[in-house]
Amino acid sequence: MAATECATQSVIDLYTELALNPEKDFGWEKGFDNAKAHGYKDKWLDAIPLDIWDYCAAVGNPFSLGDFPEGSTVLDLGCGAGIDVCVAALHVGKRGKVIGVDLTPMMVQTARRHASEAGFDNIEVIEGNLEALPVKTESIDIVISNGAINLTTSKPKVFAEIFRVLKPQGKLYFADMIDISEGTCKTSCCSQSSTGDWANCVEGTLKKEELIEIMNEAGFVDVKCKGTNHYMTSPTTIGATFSATKGE
Ligand SMILES: C[S@@+](CC[C@H](N)C(=O)[O-])C[C@H]1O[C@@H](n2cnc3c(N)ncnc32)[C@H](O)[C@@H]1O
């Protein structure tokens, strides 16, 4: 199996396990307390059934990065068990629409179940890869993501796809793990060589500057790293948030 296929399979295996056993200790923070620690508001925590929060593998809070106007169409990349699609649905209201995309079939099933249990009928969850989004060109107002982009094997393809699906002036707000190790990059130099800690949000991380460069190359403007947080998946990988705009 090629290294990229191996990395992808390790992601599917790990997140199938999370979908089936949300109470299992994977070695990183998750669940209700994790969401609270990232500043998820009480009104969201109260509006979504408690057991859904068990699956929350957020590494930051994309909803802290900008406005989510009522009636907007939001796309969540690597939506996992559907926590952020539910939070987005609370923001955009009944006139809005939320689409979640995830690679792991068991996560897609779980997110669909959770959207229905939470009472939303304007959430669609699609199985797919962020590197070839099953989403129409220029159909999305806001793209969000939480802890998923680092798990993909070609970040340039992912940001090109995000750029394609956003409407002009559309927004990108995401949280992800970044590499804060000293020295030159590990991942863009040898992303094919190691899958050991790929699924745990370590091996696939890029440095802040690398991510910003890829976003600029994809055509985004006003690209910013908004800061880092407490969340760590290894001594050299930390949660960070980013925002960017698709220009005219
Ligand atoms: C760390 S979990 C985060 C899930 C969710 N965003 C949350 O905050 O709870 C990462 C998710 O990204 C998905 N994922 C990883 N690589 C992907 C890819 N290339 N395309 C689509 N989804 C992917 C995984 O299946 C998993 O559900």
Side-chain angles (χ1 to χ4, degrees):
M1 199 188 277
T4 50
E5 284 170 44
C6 190
T8 302
Q9 191 56 51
S10 73
V11 167
I12 294 174
D13 291 347
L14 184 79
Y15 293 101
T16 298
E17 183 68 18
L18 174 59
L20 294 172
N21 295 307
E23 68 290 340
K24 181 174 165 177
D25 182 2
F26 291 87
W28 26 265
E29 297 298 317
K30 58 178 168 52
F32 184 89
D33 290 342
N34 178 47
K36 243 182 137 55
H38 286 306
Y40 279 58
K41 294 188 177 164
D42 286 340
K43 63 180 176 188
W44 312 336
L45 296 163
D46 293 343
I48 295 165
L50 196 56
D51 56 330
I52 295 179
W53 292 98
D54 290 346
Y55 298 76
C56 175
V59 306
N61 180 355
F63 301 98
S64 66
L65 301 172
D67 292 333
F68 289 75
E70 230 188 301
S72 305
T73 300
V74 176
L75 171 66
D76 182 11
L77 304 181
C79 65
I83 293 88
D84 283 353
V85 291
C86 291
V87 176
L90 290 174
H91 282 77
V92 301
K94 286 191 185 310
R95 288 191 305 113
K97 177 164 188 191
V98 184
I99 302 167
V101 173
D102 204 282
L103 183 71
T104 304
M106 193 56 73
M107 278 301 192
V108 171
Q109 271 185 39
T110 307
R112 286 179 184 150
R113 188 181 79 235
H114 286 162
S116 151
E117 280 171 16
F120 296 109
D121 57 12
N122 55 348
I123 291 175
E124 182 186 5
V125 184
I126 308 171
E127 186 181 320
N129 195 319
L130 306 187
E131 295 170 32
L133 283 171
V135 176
K136 269 210 258 177
T137 298
E138 296 197 354
S139 61
I140 304 294
D141 296 300
I142 305 167
V143 169
I144 60 171
S145 186
N146 205 337
I149 293 173
N150 78 88
L151 298 168
T152 63
T153 54
S154 172
K155 278 70 170 174
K157 278 190 191 163
V158 173
F159 286 104
E161 279 295 84
I162 298 171
F163 194 85
R164 178 182 67 78
V165 301
L166 275 173
K167 296 176 187 172
Q169 294 300 316
K171 300 289 184 189
L172 168 62
Y173 301 131
F174 72 98
D176 206 359
M177 301 309 296
I178 59 166
D179 173 15
I180 52 165
S181 62
E182 297 288 324
T184 52
C185 59
K186 63 178 186 316
T187 310
S188 49
C189 305
C190 57
S191 61
Q192 312 290 313
S193 69
S194 170
T195 55
D197 248 342
W198 194 279
N200 281 313
C201 297
V202 177
E203 282 298 328
T205 55
L206 295 185
K207 292 185 186 296
K208 174 176 80 178
E209 296 75 18
E210 292 177 283
L211 272 175
I212 289 172
E213 191 182 329
I214 293 171
M215 282 187 264
N216 281 323
E217 276 171 6
F220 286 98
V221 296
D222 205 16
V223 176
K224 289 187 188 120
C225 175
K226 306 288 274 189
T228 54
N229 60 37
H230 65 279
Y231 198 91
M232 298 192 80
T233 49
S234 79
T236 57
T237 48
I238 195 164
T241 47
F242 294 84
S243 66
T245 301
K246 174 173 176 171
E248 286 298 346

